[in-house]
Amino acid sequence: MYISNHFTLVRKISNGILICLAAILLGCGGGGGQEAAKPILIKFPHVTAPATPKGEAAERFKQVVEERLAGRVAVEVYPSAQLMSDDDSLDALAFGEVQMIAISLSKLDRLTHKFQIFDLPFLFPDLPAVERFQASDYGQGLLRSMVDSKLLGLSFWHNGMKQFSGPAPMRTPESAKGLKFRIMESDVLQAQILQIGGNPQKMAFAEVYQALQTGAVDAQENTWSNIYSSKFYEVQPYITETNHGYLGYLVAVNPDFWASLPDDIRSELALIVQEVTIWANEQSTIIDLAGKEKIIESGQSEVIELTADERAAWQRAMRPVWDTFSESIGADLIAAAQAYDK
Ligand code: SIN
């Protein structure tokens, strides 16, 4: 009797130990065990379609992170403004609701005027010139210029150079007169449109197609890849290839989130961002020009190529914008930026 009770007790104790051990190993110890570590989540909203320079770069970032930091970091990319607008993403990043954004430099005007230089018309002749300027001490200093607004830049990604689209052929700056132009949220872009006699309307990217379709605005400026992927060409019968301005992004994180990461994860993520930046900035022109080709093939929009003299006329017409902003941007900085054209 005693012996059988003793064995029963021993069996119960060892069963209990086994159950506890299993609970600890499975990480579901009912309060006594340890939680299995969940991967750190990076929510990454953006506003362009997946098949754009930014859309492809964001997906590649996700893919590389989830390969190299498998089980430790997960990335959720939300393209096409399906989660929020760019404007809202600045607040969401500051409040820690999302962890990463890639926002057009023009839209940072709300936080600082330091990025206005990128919007000056005809300042940078091409993407390599922009890239050299971004790699300069000033360009790299910009990455940390909004930490007080809870935004830490990690890198710059290109989209491309902007073109004008509209309801009628725009060969000369005079042909823009009286047209309502949708622009990004930037005072330099506003001045640029006023300079050619247009009526600028700041508007979120997700609203542009409908605004063009309904005639709420007549015209807009954007890159080939955005005009193609957001179908603006379907409702804009003419596109003038001006290459008059730069559209690029600041890839940014919340600085508190970044500082909270374990050192090894933070340095691996920083490395991945740099690798993806090189890849993305090589791809951007290919994707952009593919957009142009597809627009031409569609036959829905006529592409107007300017002669050198015609392009010079646009350049002259917009040049006073530089003077308007030379005090706030800094005449020295503008001169320095010009030197990166070679
Ligand atoms: C983007 O490329 O992120 C959007 C640009 C725009 O708002 O026009």
Side-chain angles (χ1 to χ4, degrees):
M1 182 69 173
Y2 166 78
I3 289 176
S4 110
N5 279 350
H6 176 75
F7 278 130
T8 309
L9 185 66
V10 168
R11 207 170 38 241
K12 277 186 180 160
I13 290 171
S14 45
N15 281 349
I17 290 170
L18 282 176
I19 289 166
C20 275
L21 265 176
I24 288 166
L25 286 174
L26 290 171
C28 52
Q34 279 187 340
E35 289 283 315
K38 279 203 208 136
I40 294 162
L41 179 61
I42 298 182
K43 284 192 182 181
F44 186 172
H46 68 86
V47 300
T48 60
T52 54
K54 179 164 55 179
E56 302 231 352
E59 271 309 316
R60 187 167 179 104
F61 173 74
K62 172 185 167 69
Q63 186 195 328
V64 178
V65 167
E66 292 183 350
E67 263 167 36
R68 302 231 299 252
L69 292 167
R72 300 187 73 197
V73 181
V75 182
E76 289 176 1
V77 177
Y78 298 92
S80 307
Q82 60 183 236
L83 197 60
M84 59 186 72
S85 67
D86 273 330
D87 210 30
D88 289 344
S89 78
L90 289 172
D91 298 325
L93 190 75
F95 288 114
E97 288 156 17
V98 301
Q99 289 68 39
M100 192 165 192
I101 59 173
I103 187 164
S104 160
L105 304 181
S106 312
K107 297 177 186 175
L108 296 168
D109 213 17
R110 189 183 109 185
L111 301 178
T112 172
H113 295 326
K114 292 202 168 87
F115 290 79
Q116 286 185 334
I117 187 148
F118 292 104
D119 280 342
L120 288 180
F122 294 105
L123 175 60
F124 297 106
D126 51 26
L127 298 184
V130 179
E131 206 161 307
R132 285 190 287 275
F133 178 69
Q134 289 173 339
S136 70
D137 286 349
Y138 182 84
Q140 290 301 296
L142 288 174
L143 298 176
R144 297 197 62 83
S145 66
M146 290 170 294
V147 169
D148 289 349
S149 304
K150 297 291 175 208
L151 196 143
L152 171 67
L154 299 180
S155 186
F156 295 104
W157 287 351
H158 299 320
N159 183 324
M161 302 303 283
K162 291 179 291 183
Q163 326 300 340
F164 280 123
S165 71
M170 284 189 280
R171 212 165 250 293
T172 62
E174 290 73 31
S175 47
K177 218 175 180 137
L179 294 179
K180 275 184 270 167
F181 279 83
R182 177 272 171 173
I183 53 162
M184 291 183 274
E185 296 82 347
S186 147
D187 288 349
V188 178
L189 298 182
Q190 188 172 34
Q192 169 197 270
I193 298 301
L194 288 171
Q195 196 59 47
I196 52 175
N199 174 0
Q201 314 269 325
K202 294 179 180 174
M203 185 183 290
F205 188 62
E207 292 165 26
V208 180
Y209 179 87
Q210 207 186 353
L212 292 169
Q213 192 186 33
T214 59
V217 295
D218 308 303
Q220 63 91 45
E221 54 162 15
N222 231 303
T223 59
W224 292 114
S225 69
N226 278 355
I227 296 172
Y228 176 69
S229 61
S230 290
K231 304 191 191 307
F232 299 163
Y233 70 99
E234 291 181 356
V235 287
Q236 293 277 267
Y238 297 94
I239 306 172
T240 305
E241 186 167 40
T242 44
N243 288 314
H244 64 277
Y246 172 68
L247 174 48
Y249 307 110
L250 186 74
V251 182
V253 289
N254 178 308
D256 300 333
F257 163 74
W258 194 243
S260 75
L261 294 172
D263 288 350
D264 62 329
I265 290 189
R266 189 173 49 249
S267 52
E268 188 64 17
L269 285 174
L271 193 65
I272 294 171
V273 168
Q274 294 319 315
E275 290 172 15
V276 172
T277 297
I278 294 170
W279 179 86
N281 288 349
E282 280 168 7
Q283 294 297 308
S284 61
T285 306
I286 298 169
I287 300 169
D288 202 38
L289 292 180
K292 177 182 173 187
E293 289 312 310
K294 286 181 202 144
I295 291 170
I296 293 171
E297 273 166 31
S298 79
Q300 285 183 275
S301 193
E302 187 182 323
V303 172
I304 297 166
E305 286 175 11
L306 299 175
T307 64
D309 284 350
E310 286 168 338
R311 192 161 180 273
W314 284 89
Q315 214 162 343
R316 274 196 306 278
M318 293 179 172
R319 183 56 186 255
V321 176
W322 292 26
D323 303 329
T324 310
F325 287 88
S326 76
E327 204 174 318
S328 67
I329 294 174
D332 290 358
L333 185 62
I334 297 175
Q338 279 181 285
Y340 288 96
D341 68 348
K342 46 191 117 39

